[in-house]
């Protein structure tokens, strides 16, 4: 048994549980023990609130315990259909790590033999309090007990952080830890045994939360799956503001240079120019770094006469160049956040902002505490320093020291789409290389960390490439070679890293293309002879 699990167990035991543990250690007895003398395994509790009356949690309170029959559950207030789940016990609780905290969470515990003895905690998206029910259902279908929380707030706006800095810390750094500690204790109380393994699964803000766990709470999880992590949060929001301003005339909130149509034009031309660089024409740029200006330059699209649908004005070209470049300090030249890979342009419009920059409330309420704050006055030198000092310690997860997580036996699997227009894949590369430097060698980082860059993938999922990384039991098998969660479980249990992973493209319920998912810095290379739609025709090098 891991010491971290024993610590959490002892901290939450009732007298009856303590008696069982003392008996297990020989306490209260005379001579040696025999199999007949061994204490019985603690009985599972009924799925009722009354059955948990004697369970004492540190900094958490049980609110409801409800049995759910197999094939009947759909989350309240959503349109999601989760009717294929087994019977489970739904436990609702609130974690309160500080006097300002109020982190609502749910733990779903499969009944009977449906439980595989392990736990998966899921993350969130954006600044939303919504639980990731889809992720919870995905893990439960594989037999896991699952849980998720609202990150410590119950509304969609960002006013909940005003005058409540601990709530910002809960959202940015602490909530997953708080609910996982309480959830492990509840799971043990329900089933009469502790989870054998605990994993984390999340993307975007969920990826950010996974990085918080690896950096700040390294003993919570045996394995962390973090997709498209927004861990460099302050800098990411600087980029959203840079993108908004780059695409508009000064002090004009309404006029946009680059329309969605013009952004799609750029992507189409980029793909046409660079698709075949990897030896296969499949509508995907395999590695945007190879799509240099020698192959594609946005200036080549500038109109020679009047503006037309198939060309860009000088202002549109300049806007694109600034967005590719990414925000920089005008005084020092420091790159504040990476720019964007070629081939991601069609998605830029979703985070261009309408009448104000995306995540303006981050600056308005959390950084400057001024409801009348004007983004056109933002100074990419002075105000960056101010934000880094004030808000970054609460929400950024950028430490490259993962030595404690590695020492605890943790495994980290990060995936990121090359065509992601929300969180730059270059930022995940920069972080990985920082960890590699801190670890001292490729071999040292390979022992516990894999970064997968997915050609054609957008933000967390979707896109034109082989971007399906989860098994569904029909088109894509739930196996370590095809499913991220199964791959992580095998890595933790057997030490076999997910270097044999195959990503899929699924259309009409059928797999139409497969590719090896290669661990950075490797990438898939076509053998020049086999079926280009078959992963077997590629190797990682």
């Amino acid at each position: 048994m891991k010491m971290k699990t024993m610590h959490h167990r002892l901290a939450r035991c009732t007298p009856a549980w303590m008696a069982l543990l003392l008996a297990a250690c020989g306490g209260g007895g005379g001579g040696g023990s025999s199999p007949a003398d061994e204490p019985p395994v603690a009985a599972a509790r009924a799925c009722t609130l009354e059955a948990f009356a004697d369970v004492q949690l540190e900094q958490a309170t049980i609110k409801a315990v409800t049995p759910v029959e197999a094939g009947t559950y759909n989350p309240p207030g959503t349109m999601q259909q989760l009717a294929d789940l087994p019977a489970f016990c739904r436990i609702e609780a609130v974690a309160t790590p500080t006097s300002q905290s109020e982190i609502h969470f749910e733990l779903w515990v499969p009944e009977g033999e449906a439980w595989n003895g392990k736990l998966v905690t899921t993350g969130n998206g954006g600044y939303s309090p919504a639980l990731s029910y889809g992720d919870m259902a995905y893990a439960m279908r594989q037999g896991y007990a699952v849980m998720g929380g609202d990150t410590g707030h119950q509304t969609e706006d960002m006013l909940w952080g005003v005058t409540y800095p601990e709530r910002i810390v809960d959202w940015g750094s602490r909530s997953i830890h708080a609910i996982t500690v309480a959830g492990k204790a509840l799971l043990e109380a329900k089933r009469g045994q502790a989870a054998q393994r605990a994993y984390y699964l999340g993307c975007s803000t969920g990826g950010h939360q996974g990085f918080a766990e690896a950096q700040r709470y390294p003993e919570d999880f045996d394995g962390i799956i973090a997709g498209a992590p927004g861990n460099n949060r302050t800098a990411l929001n600087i980029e959203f503001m840079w993108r908004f301003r780059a695409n508009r005339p000064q002090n004009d909130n309404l006029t946009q240079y680059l329309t969605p149509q013009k952004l799609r034009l750029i992507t189409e031309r980029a793909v046409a120019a660079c698709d075949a660089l990897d030896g296969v024409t499949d509508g995907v740029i395999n590695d945007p770094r190879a799509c240099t200006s020698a192959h594609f330059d946005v200036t080549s699209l500038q109109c020679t006469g009047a503006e037309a649908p198939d060309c860009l004005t000088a202002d549109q070209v300049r806007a694109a160049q600034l967005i590719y470049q990414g925000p920089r300090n005008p005084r020092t030249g420091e790159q504040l956040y990476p720019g964007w890979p070629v081939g991601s342009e069609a998605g830029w419009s979703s985070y261009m902002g309408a009448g104000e920059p995306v995540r303006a409330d981050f600056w308005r309420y959390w950084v400057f505490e001024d409801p009348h704050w004007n983004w056109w006055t933002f100074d990419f030198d002075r105000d960056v320093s101010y934000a880094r000092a004030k808000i970054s310690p609460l929400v950024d997860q950028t430490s490259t020291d993962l030595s404690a997580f590695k020492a605890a036996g943790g495994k980290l699997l990060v995936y990121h789409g090359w065509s992601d227009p929300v969180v730059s894949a270059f930022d995940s590369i920069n972080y990985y290389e920082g960890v590699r430097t801190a670890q001292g060698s490729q071999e040292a980082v390979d022992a516990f960390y894999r970064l997968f860059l997915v050609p054609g993938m957008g933000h967390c999922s979707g896109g034109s490439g082989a971007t399906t990384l989860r098994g569904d039991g029909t088109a894509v098998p739930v196996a370590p070679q095809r499913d991220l969660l199964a791959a992580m479980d095998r890595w933790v249990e057997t030490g076999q890293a997910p270097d044999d992973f195959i990503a899929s493209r699924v259309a009409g319920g059928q797999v139409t293309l497969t590719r090896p998912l290669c661990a950075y810095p490797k990438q898939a290379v076509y053998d020049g002879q086999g079926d280009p739609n078959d992963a077997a025709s590629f190797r990682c090098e």
Side-chain angles (χ1 to χ4, degrees), residues 65 180 195 259 306 412 488:
V65 179
T180 297
T259 63
L412 178 61
M488 174 58 77

Side-chain angles (χ1 to χ4, degrees), residues 258 262 265-266 298 301-303 308 310-314 316-317 320:
L258 289 166
K262 291 301 179 75
L265 170 67
I266 299 174
V298 71
L301 299 181
Q302 186 163 332
C303 303
D310 61 350
C311 66
L312 304 178
T313 67
Q316 290 167 344
V317 168

Side-chain angles (χ1 to χ4, degrees), residues 31-361:
S33 62
S34 66
D37 297 325
E38 292 180 1
V41 175
R45 293 174 189 261
C47 187
T48 66
L49 186 59
E50 292 75 18
F52 286 77
D54 66 328
V55 176
Q56 301 296 316
L57 300 173
E58 289 183 0
Q59 301 178 332
T61 304
I62 303 171
K63 294 298 183 182
V65 179
T66 309
V68 179
E69 295 182 4
T72 65
Y73 188 70
N74 289 312
T78 76
M79 299 298 291
Q80 297 190 60
Q81 299 295 311
L82 306 178
D84 58 346
L85 298 181
F88 67 92
C89 184
R90 180 183 177 218
I91 303 173
E92 300 171 74
V94 179
T96 53
T98 75
S99 60
Q100 293 183 358
S101 300
E102 184 181 338
I103 309 169
H104 294 251
F105 68 96
E106 295 186 17
L107 170 68
W108 300 354
V109 186
E111 296 287 9
E113 296 182 356
W115 185 40
N116 66 6
K118 303 173 186 181
L119 171 69
V120 170
T121 301
T122 60
N124 302 83
Y127 297 74
S128 170
L131 276 64
S132 296
Y133 291 115
D135 285 351
M136 294 171 71
Y138 156 69
M140 179 171 274
R141 292 185 189 107
Q142 296 189 31
Y144 293 90
V146 298
M147 62 184 308
D150 66 6
T151 77
H153 64 97
Q154 292 73 53
T155 59
E156 293 287 346
D157 59 63
M158 296 177 68
L159 290 170
W160 47 265
V162 176
T163 72
Y164 293 101
E166 294 294 347
R167 293 183 184 177
I168 297 177
V169 174
D170 285 335
W171 172 83
S173 300
R174 185 171 53 208
S175 69
I176 295 298
H177 171 69
I179 69 172
T180 297
V181 169
K184 286 180 178 179
L186 284 171
L187 176 57
E188 182 174 0
K190 173 65 181 78
R191 292 300 306 238
Q193 64 183 90
Q196 300 166 7
R197 297 291 186 186
Y199 301 127
Y200 173 80
L201 172 69
C203 191
S204 193
T205 288
H208 167 149
Q209 293 166 313
F211 273 42
E213 283 294 311
Q215 294 169 28
R216 298 175 186 256
Y217 306 103
E219 295 191 345
D220 280 355
F221 296 107
D222 299 289
I224 293 172
I225 301 173
N231 58 297
N232 195 6
R233 183 63 58 156
T234 303
L236 178 61
N237 286 330
I238 288 172
E239 193 286 327
F240 294 155
M241 185 157 43
W242 174 276
R243 194 186 318 190
F244 179 92
R245 288 175 36 165
N247 195 42
R248 289 165 171 80
Q250 181 72 21
N251 294 316
D252 183 343
N253 294 323
L254 301 180
T255 303
Q256 296 194 48
Y257 296 131
L258 289 166
T259 63
Q261 293 77 16
K262 291 301 179 75
L263 290 168
R264 285 196 296 271
L265 170 67
I266 299 174
T267 295
E268 289 169 0
R269 295 296 179 85
V271 171
C274 297
D275 179 2
L277 292 178
D278 60 347
V280 178
T281 301
D282 56 3
V284 177
I285 300 175
N286 188 55
D287 183 353
R289 294 170 300 180
C291 190
T292 63
S293 58
H295 301 285
F296 172 75
D297 190 333
V298 71
T299 60
S300 67
L301 299 181
Q302 186 163 332
C303 303
T304 57
E307 182 180 4
D310 61 350
C311 66
L312 304 178
T313 67
D315 286 335
Q316 290 167 344
V317 168
R318 177 58 177 160
Q321 290 173 323
L322 286 171
I323 296 169
Y324 282 130
Q325 169 192 297
R328 291 180 182 172
N329 184 313
R331 179 177 61 85
T332 66
E334 176 194 0
Q335 188 80 39
L336 303 175
Y337 187 80
W340 297 92
V342 174
S344 65
E345 306 86 358
W348 290 355
S349 59
S350 60
Y351 272 68
M352 287 292 197
E356 65 181 33
V358 171
R359 307 308 183 203
D361 284 351

